[in-house]
Structure formats: structure tokens, C-alpha cells
Amino acid sequence: QVQVVDSGGGLVQPGGSLRLSCAVSGSIFSVNAMGWYRQAPGKQRELVATITRNGNTNYADSVKGRFTISRDNAKNTGYLQMNSLKPEDTAVYYCKMAIARSFYLTDDYWGQGTQVTVSS
């Protein structure tokens, strides 16, 4: 019943910007921590940024100062604002949400992935 959908990817020139969104549908108790990951061709999936329910954030060194993770708890939606994009940011970006379906049971849910391509 619970489903996470990420969106907002596309083709952008170096130095450009994109905003990714992550939304959850279905009957849930709460969304706890969430994060964004990315996977480039031939490479392992890596952590980009995380945010707790209370708004505490962490970023990979490669994106600090350029990316901003945020969330709207009332809408059960997360975001990743990406500025000053570089070709090395090209990857499939995945949203992960820790979702509680009851008072004390929490599981991780992944979005399907959205392609971000930075190229001239």
C-alpha cells in the first residue's frame, strides 16, 4: 500500500539547477528520517544527503554548499535543491524514507529513481 515516488530529474547544463521531489502515498503513521542517494554508471550507490524528522541535515563532501535537502512534514514530502551542477553529478537519484506504519515498526522505502544528466 505504501509507495514512495521521486521525480524532477532531467537534462541541465553545467552550472544549472534542478529540484528533486519525493512523495509518499498510502496509509502511514509517520515519516521519520529520509535521504537522497545517487548511482552513476559503473559505480556503487552513494549517499548524497540526509535529514531527520526534526530537520537536522548531513551532506556528502562533494555536494556541500551546492545542494540543500529539505522536507515538509505536513505534506509528507522531501526535496533536494541542486545548484551549480557539475558533470560529475550525473547519476540516477533515489529517495529513501524511513516510514512508520505503526507506533513502533519502521521500514525503509525507496523511490524508483530519477535521472539527472549534467552536460553541455
Side-chain angles (χ1 to χ4, degrees):
Q1 294 285 4
V2 178
Q3 187 174 19
V4 171
V5 178
D6 41 32
S7 61
L11 176 64
V12 64
Q13 292 184 328
S17 298
L18 285 172
R19 189 182 75 164
L20 307 183
S21 298
C22 179
V24 58
S25 63
S27 182
I28 66 172
F29 188 77
S30 66
V31 177
N32 297 325
M34 67 159 292
W36 289 94
Y37 297 73
R38 67 186 182 186
Q39 187 167 21
K43 296 185 178 181
Q44 294 184 337
R45 187 173 299 183
E46 64 176 347
L47 177 66
V48 176
T50 61
I51 184 169
T52 69
R53 184 182 176 184
N54 295 327
N56 295 318
T57 59
N58 283 289
Y59 298 91
D61 289 339
S62 60
V63 306
K64 284 183 178 179
R66 300 187 298 119
F67 291 9
T68 302
I69 187 172
S70 62
R71 63 190 294 166
D72 186 334
N73 290 338
K75 297 180 179 179
N76 290 325
T77 303
Y79 306 95
L80 183 68
Q81 178 67 46
M82 304 185 295
N83 299 326
S84 302
L85 283 163
K86 304 175 181 179
E88 51 263 44
D89 294 319
T90 296
V92 178
Y93 284 70
Y94 299 89
C95 173
K96 186 187 78 172
M97 288 185 167
I99 297 175
R101 301 169 104 183
S102 65
F103 179 72
Y104 56 87
L105 294 177
T106 302
D107 294 301
D108 290 337
Y109 290 81
W110 289 85
Q112 80 286 352
T114 182
Q115 176 71 49
V116 173
T117 303
V118 184
S119 176
S120 299

